[in-house]
Amino acid sequence: MRIFFDPEVLAAAWPGIRSGIGVTLGLALTSIAAGVALGLLLATVRALIRGAPLRPVGGLIAAYADVFRAMPPLVLLVVLYFAAPFAGIELSGFMAAFVALGLVLGASAEEIFWAGITSVNRGQWEAALSTGLSRGEAFRRVVLPQAVRLTIPPLTNRAIATGKNTALASVVAVPEVLNQAASIQAQTASPAPLLLAAGVYVALFLPLVRIGRWLETRFHIR
Amino acid sequence: MSDVLELRGVGKTFAGIPALRDIHLAVGASELVALIGPSGSGKSTLLRCCNRLTEPDAGDVVFEGEPVPAGGAELASVRRRMGMVFQAFNLYPHLNALENAALAPRRAAGLSQGEAETAAREALERVGLGDRTSAMPDELSGGQQQRVAIARALALRPRILLLDEPTSALDPELVGSVLRVIRSLKEDGVAMLIATHEIAFAREAADRIAFLADGEILECGPPAEVLDRPRTERLQSFLSRL
Amino acid sequence: MSEFFQTFLNPGVMAESSGLLLRGLWVTLQACLIVVPGGLFFGAGLALAQTLAPAWGARSLSWGVDLIRAFPPLVLLVLIVHGLPFLGIEPPPLLGVGIALTINTSTYYGEILRAGILSIEPTQWEAARSTGLGTMATLRHVILPQGVRNVLPDLAGNTLEAVKLTSLASVVALPDLLRMARVAQGVHFNPSPLILAALLYLALLWPLVRLIRRLGGRAVLPA
Ligand SMILES: Nc1ncnc2c1ncn2[C@@H]1O[C@H](COP(=O)(O)OP(=O)(O)O)[C@@H](O)[C@H]1O
Ligand SMILES: [Mg+2]
């Protein structure tokens, strides 16, 4: 049993893993911010476009959401990191992970926001337009605030999933928690660094998972 | 030419089925015109064609002597001066009474926040809700909610109010409070076009009544004429079934 | 443009690597055949346990489920595949991957099935009981058939997630589709195999996405 919690190995592993926590959090927060912003932007465009010439844009946005829902994030990451250079696009591991996680979350977020927007009663649009608000103002002041309430629990859950998916970045040599633990494990031939990393993930994500569960029951989303 | 609103030959077809046919109707300044007719006869469609929430596919809607523009800021500006009240209130559930009424003055008419709130407060006082300005819609009774919706329209000082069965969604004991507000608006000279099933109210408050059936105005005139001496069989049977 | 095709969709490279990719696809499908039925089986067990357990039991189960969910699936996978050997247990790679991903995905299946059970009116329990059915018989013949139908879109949605999850197997050297695509890319020094693999995943999963939409599924499964 001692081999799993070898204090010497743990002490040696800690500085690397601690610096990995910073990378994990940095990657998580930037991709979550970018993904949510992308999803909100696309859903807004989809809600505001009208008229024949722009119709296909809505279809394109829906297709984007479908494709990135069907695509495993790791496959996307590997393509971005290992295939993009052949097109002259050299992404660092961090950038590739940021783009992959942002695109995947962006697709979910678009779908979540869109579902929220379409669930707002038509009468709300009509009331707002009947008072002379522009479509943009009606969307921003009347429809979106109501839609956002519905999106909070599912969006929280998707954001947590994105945070956990930062572990995928270890595959493209981003020195986040899992990557640090794996390289120290390779040097020490001990499972202790991995267990330490596992403990770090639990400490980071268990509270968030509990909050996500609480939000789901509180908002009664089904 | 003191008509506030005039419909000239307005028609609307939904998926091949005509909902409105060649509607001619004018509402003068300070006039109250009641639309009666069985459900499905086109009352809502007629009202919604006035501010183009529903796009008419024939005829013209003329507001203060000008055709109602097809879209953009010009249409928005006409809509501000044409208040609409919906059967289901359609209050914004995330805003309190004052915010509901102040939103358009602030964001559509471009008043300052202070001016918008003053206009909203005055409108709420006018419908007897000056003491409920901070109530959320779900804390109000149906009658109070509908009065907030009327205040939301009034806060923009409209030239005419379009009311679509404003009391149909209310419990019977709450109908009176809303009708009282509408009557007092009439006394203040607000022009109104109102779809309603409250025949007694129409008889006493309306200057003219238009009877709509299958998308056509079959009769139009003063209440005594339309209600007491119906010329068409459709109107006779409609009135006898009330 | 033709240069683009030569680089990313090179017919020669794709033809030469198709054998490797097909072998990888077969491994991916095998992983799915472990993870999806396994996840459903243990998920159903979890849902039943949470339904039948006394309150404190259900509460501890929910903490256990959340503990598992706090792990990124890849961390769970690495922990099991690289950690178990230190305990002297060395399962074949496919089994190790199967165990790790089944543990992860069964918590989601479990939660969905439990929601299905809870979606059934208590009067259904009472009606079944009044005809003399026991708890298990009521669950099996009355509650589950209706409950599963109510959560079918979510079950399909989680199956999609489970299939996507199997791509993680490549990280622990299981020769699945993604892994084989990387190998072929190295051999030919050309990214076409990777692109082909991505397209294969899309071909596999796009119909599932469409099906979920048809079922009226929500995008958003719990994380
Ligand atoms: N958006 C719509 N799409 C299709 N048909 C409609 C729509 N709105 C109204 N209609 C039809 O138009 C006719 C008139 O409806 P409406 O104006 O709502 O009548 P009323 O308000 O008098 O009950 C009805 O036959 C109704 O089914
Ligand atoms: Mg109507």
Side-chain angles (χ1 to χ4, degrees):
Chain A
M1 208 31 28
R2 194 186 135 79
I3 186 165
F4 284 97
F5 301 102
D6 189 330
E8 267 168 50
V9 177
L10 288 177
W14 176 241
I17 287 181
R18 195 180 49 199
S19 81
I21 294 175
V23 177
T24 290
L25 289 179
L27 181 57
L29 293 177
T30 48
S31 7
I32 289 169
V36 171
L38 176 65
L40 179 58
L41 177 77
L42 292 176
T44 302
V45 170
R46 203 171 162 190
L48 291 180
I49 49 169
R50 298 176 76 209
L54 290 173
R55 227 351 97 61
V57 175
L60 281 178
I61 292 172
Y64 156 78
D66 273 5
V67 166
F68 285 91
R69 192 163 176 213
M71 181 69 81
L74 181 60
V75 175
L76 183 61
L77 174 59
V78 167
V79 166
L80 280 174
Y81 188 73
F82 294 104
F86 288 88
I89 305 168
E90 292 271 0
L91 295 175
S92 69
F94 189 95
M95 270 310 283
F98 166 77
V99 172
L101 295 180
L103 284 173
V104 168
L105 177 60
S108 302
E110 191 279 329
E111 213 175 316
I112 292 167
F113 280 118
W114 180 247
I117 290 164
T118 50
S119 72
V120 173
N121 195 316
R122 264 175 61 92
Q124 292 291 312
W125 279 103
E126 295 183 342
L129 293 177
S130 80
T131 62
L133 290 178
S134 65
R135 274 182 75 77
E137 287 286 339
F139 179 74
R140 173 160 166 217
R141 314 271 169 197
V142 173
V143 176
L144 193 58
Q146 296 179 56
V148 161
R149 282 160 201 234
L150 299 173
T151 64
I152 286 173
L155 207 54
T156 306
N157 282 332
R158 278 296 118 194
I160 295 169
T162 303
K164 291 194 287 180
N165 272 345
T166 57
L168 301 180
S170 64
V171 174
V172 293
V174 175
E176 46 67 75
V177 173
L178 179 60
N179 181 276
Q180 291 281 1
S183 55
I184 300 163
Q185 187 205 11
Q187 293 157 24
T188 56
S190 151
L194 268 184
L195 281 172
L196 182 57
V200 166
Y201 280 110
V202 169
L204 287 179
F205 288 111
L206 186 55
L208 295 176
V209 170
R210 292 302 292 188
I211 289 172
R213 183 192 282 278
W214 176 77
L215 284 174
E216 279 236 328
T217 49
R218 222 203 93 160
F219 284 69
H220 258 298
I221 291 297
R222 266 233 50 87
Chain B
M1 239 338 272
S2 68
D3 287 340
V4 180
L5 181 69
E6 190 187 350
L7 285 78
R8 297 182 185 155
V10 167
K12 176 69 189 178
T13 301
F14 288 112
I17 300 159
L20 285 183
R21 275 184 280 204
D22 195 31
I23 299 291
H24 291 267
L25 183 69
V27 183
S30 330
E31 201 184 12
L32 193 159
V33 177
L35 289 171
I36 62 171
S39 83
S41 58
K43 304 182 294 296
S44 300
T45 306
L46 190 157
L47 289 168
R48 296 161 57 88
C49 281
C50 295
N51 63 1
R52 297 186 98 143
L53 278 184
T54 293
E55 192 61 30
D57 40 37
D60 288 307
V61 180
V62 178
F63 175 68
E64 297 195 302
E66 304 274 343
V68 175
E74 298 80 21
L75 174 59
S77 139
V78 166
R79 282 173 169 170
R80 260 191 283 136
R81 290 174 285 143
M82 247 195 249
M84 184 170 248
V85 176
F86 300 85
Q87 186 173 344
F89 326 142
N90 297 4
L91 288 183
Y92 312 134
H94 60 299
L95 301 179
N96 69 26
L98 188 74
E99 292 162 340
N100 260 278
L103 182 65
R106 174 86 184 93
R107 300 290 164 191
L111 301 189
S112 73
Q113 187 62 33
E115 291 167 334
E117 283 182 9
T118 304
R121 189 163 284 121
E122 282 171 11
L124 285 166
E125 272 160 19
R126 200 157 163 199
V127 299
L129 289 172
D131 55 342
R132 301 305 308 271
T133 51
S134 55
M136 299 303 283
D138 62 8
E139 297 164 359
L140 297 169
S141 74
Q144 291 171 324
Q145 288 188 49
Q146 191 59 298
R147 280 144 67 198
V148 173
I150 294 173
R152 175 173 67 187
L154 287 178
L156 291 153
R157 301 183 212 288
R159 297 278 286 123
I160 184 171
L161 278 187
L162 311 167
L163 303 103
D164 191 359
E165 300 195 29
T167 58
S168 294
L170 298 178
D171 292 336
E173 74 271 20
L174 301 174
V175 168
S177 66
V178 172
L179 293 183
R180 249 192 316 281
V181 166
I182 296 172
R183 262 187 226 107
S184 84
L185 293 175
K186 174 171 164 55
E187 276 156 30
D188 293 350
V190 179
M192 283 182 268
L193 181 55
I194 173 170
T196 185
H197 286 299
E198 302 284 336
I199 298 296
F201 165 79
R203 173 191 295 278
E204 151 238 347
D207 298 297
R208 279 184 300 134
I209 295 180
F211 172 65
L212 214 58
D214 292 338
E216 284 182 287
I217 295 182
L218 296 187
E219 302 198 28
C220 184
E225 195 178 294
V226 171
L227 297 179
D228 297 333
R229 291 187 294 282
R231 286 179 284 108
T232 58
E233 229 173 276
R234 292 293 301 268
L235 180 51
Q236 282 161 14
S237 74
F238 174 73
L239 292 173
S240 70
R241 265 185 273 116
L242 290 174
Chain C
M1 201 63 206
S2 84
E3 195 189 329
F4 179 88
F5 269 94
Q6 285 305 311
T7 308
F8 288 99
L9 293 166
N10 189 301
V13 173
M14 294 208 288
E16 279 180 47
S17 49
S18 62
L20 269 182
L21 290 195
L22 281 179
R23 286 223 304 275
L25 184 60
W26 172 231
V27 172
T28 291
L29 290 178
Q30 283 176 292
C32 294
L33 289 177
I34 295 176
V35 174
V36 172
L40 273 169
F41 180 80
F42 289 104
L46 198 58
L48 289 183
Q50 281 189 302
T51 307
L52 301 176
W56 63 266
R59 208 163 331 123
S60 7
L61 275 175
S62 113
W63 274 99
V65 161
D66 287 354
L67 184 65
I68 291 172
R69 288 183 177 187
F71 287 103
L74 181 58
V75 173
L76 201 59
L77 178 65
V78 170
L79 213 54
I80 283 176
V81 173
H82 293 164
L84 281 186
F86 286 99
L87 291 175
I89 309 169
E90 207 146 347
L94 185 63
L95 187 62
V97 167
I99 291 170
L101 299 186
T102 299
I103 289 175
N104 175 275
T105 203
S106 63
T107 66
Y108 297 100
Y109 277 126
E111 207 80 344
I112 292 166
L113 288 170
R114 192 162 90 103
I117 291 172
L118 291 176
S119 74
I120 304 304
E121 295 277 326
T123 51
Q124 288 291 310
W125 283 93
E126 288 161 13
R129 283 273 167 63
S130 75
T131 63
L133 287 184
T135 304
M136 286 315 282
T138 303
L139 267 172
R140 186 156 155 231
H141 298 290
V142 179
I143 305 299
L144 274 179
Q146 302 180 68
V148 165
R149 187 142 29 93
N150 287 350
V151 292
L152 215 48
D154 284 359
L155 287 174
N158 195 53
T159 301
L160 171 69
E161 297 302 322
V163 174
K164 291 198 291 188
L165 218 48
T166 60
S167 65
L168 300 188
S170 62
V171 178
V172 292
L174 194 71
D176 74 333
L177 178 55
L178 181 55
R179 181 84 192 176
M180 288 317 225
R182 292 270 289 118
V183 170
Q185 183 207 14
V187 171
H188 297 281
F189 196 66
N190 177 290
S192 299
L194 270 184
I195 305 295
L196 187 57
L199 293 177
L200 279 172
Y201 273 108
L202 275 189
L204 205 63
L205 293 174
W206 175 281
L208 193 49
V209 172
R210 300 305 309 172
L211 173 74
I212 292 164
R213 293 245 185 283
R214 284 261 295 287
L215 292 172
R218 41 176 198 167
V220 191
L221 298 167

